[in-house]
Amino acid sequence: MRNSVYIAAIMLFATSQAMAVSVWELSQSCGDDAKLWCDGVAYGEAMQTCIDANYEKLSEPCRAIADRLRAGEEVSLF
Protein backbone atom coordinates (compact mmCIF):
# COMPACT_ATOMS: atom_id res chain seq x y z
CA MET A 1 0.00 0.00 0.00
CA ARG A 2 2.74 2.41 0.98
CA ASN A 3 4.61 1.79 -2.29
CA SER A 4 1.43 2.48 -4.25
CA VAL A 5 1.09 5.87 -2.59
CA TYR A 6 4.69 6.76 -3.44
CA ILE A 7 4.28 5.63 -7.03
CA ALA A 8 1.06 7.62 -7.38
CA ALA A 9 2.76 10.72 -5.95
CA ILE A 10 5.70 10.37 -8.35
CA MET A 11 3.37 9.91 -11.31
CA LEU A 12 1.35 12.96 -10.31
CA PHE A 13 4.51 15.04 -9.96
CA ALA A 14 5.87 13.84 -13.32
CA THR A 15 2.53 14.53 -15.01
CA SER A 16 2.27 18.03 -13.56
CA GLN A 17 5.84 18.80 -14.61
CA ALA A 18 5.08 17.61 -18.15
CA MET A 19 2.23 20.12 -18.42
CA ALA A 20 4.47 23.17 -18.58
CA VAL A 21 7.08 24.50 -20.98
CA SER A 22 10.11 25.74 -19.07
CA VAL A 23 11.62 29.10 -19.92
CA TRP A 24 14.89 27.28 -20.65
CA GLU A 25 13.15 24.91 -23.07
CA LEU A 26 11.41 27.83 -24.74
CA SER A 27 14.61 29.85 -25.16
CA GLN A 28 16.56 26.84 -26.46
CA SER A 29 13.89 25.83 -28.96
CA CYS A 30 12.60 29.22 -30.08
CA GLY A 31 15.34 31.76 -29.31
CA ASP A 32 16.70 31.94 -32.84
CA ASP A 33 13.22 31.94 -34.36
CA ALA A 34 12.11 34.74 -32.05
CA LYS A 35 15.13 36.83 -33.05
CA LEU A 36 14.51 36.17 -36.73
CA TRP A 37 10.74 36.59 -36.94
CA CYS A 38 9.79 38.61 -33.85
CA ASP A 39 12.69 40.98 -33.21
CA GLY A 40 11.57 43.88 -31.06
CA VAL A 41 8.35 42.22 -29.91
CA ALA A 42 7.70 42.25 -26.18
CA TYR A 43 7.68 38.96 -24.25
CA GLY A 44 4.49 37.30 -23.11
CA GLU A 45 1.28 37.47 -25.05
CA ALA A 46 2.73 39.68 -27.80
CA MET A 47 5.52 37.17 -28.41
CA GLN A 48 3.04 34.29 -28.46
CA THR A 49 0.97 36.16 -31.06
CA CYS A 50 4.07 36.78 -33.18
CA ILE A 51 5.18 33.14 -32.94
CA ASP A 52 1.68 32.01 -33.93
CA ALA A 53 1.63 34.42 -36.88
CA ASN A 54 4.93 33.00 -38.14
CA TYR A 55 4.20 29.34 -37.33
CA GLU A 56 4.88 28.04 -40.85
CA LYS A 57 8.33 29.68 -40.87
CA LEU A 58 9.45 28.26 -37.50
CA SER A 59 12.10 25.59 -37.03
CA GLU A 60 10.83 22.12 -36.10
CA PRO A 61 11.92 22.42 -32.42
CA CYS A 62 10.12 25.74 -32.08
CA ARG A 63 7.01 24.38 -33.79
CA ALA A 64 6.95 21.57 -31.24
CA ILE A 65 7.00 24.12 -28.41
CA ALA A 66 4.38 26.27 -30.17
CA ASP A 67 2.16 23.19 -30.48
CA ARG A 68 2.47 22.51 -26.75
CA LEU A 69 1.58 26.11 -25.93
CA ARG A 70 -1.37 25.99 -28.33
CA ALA A 71 -2.53 22.83 -26.55
CA GLY A 72 -2.75 24.80 -23.32
CA GLU A 73 0.57 24.26 -21.58
CA GLU A 74 1.78 27.20 -19.54
CA VAL A 75 5.28 28.65 -19.45
CA SER A 76 7.07 27.80 -16.20
CA LEU A 77 10.31 29.04 -14.70
CA PHE A 78 11.39 25.43 -14.13
Side-chain angles (χ1 to χ4, degrees):
M1 176 69 173
R2 189 181 231 177
N3 286 340
S4 297
V5 172
Y6 290 133
I7 291 170
I10 290 169
M11 289 176 67
L12 180 61
F13 178 74
T15 303
S16 67
Q17 290 298 98
M19 300 304 290
V21 175
S22 72
V23 171
W24 180 86
E25 210 176 1
L26 183 61
S27 67
Q28 291 297 305
S29 299
C30 293
D32 291 338
D33 292 282
K35 286 178 190 170
L36 185 61
W37 306 114
C38 302
D39 190 38
V41 174
Y43 293 109
E45 195 172 318
M47 181 61 72
Q48 180 66 45
T49 300
C50 182
I51 291 291
D52 285 342
N54 290 286
Y55 182 82
E56 295 301 322
K57 302 174 197 173
L58 301 176
S59 64
E60 284 301 316
C62 189
R63 275 191 202 177
I65 294 295
D67 289 341
R68 289 171 60 190
L69 294 171
R70 286 177 168 184
E73 288 189 42
E74 300 292 324
V75 177
S76 168
L77 291 177
F78 306 100

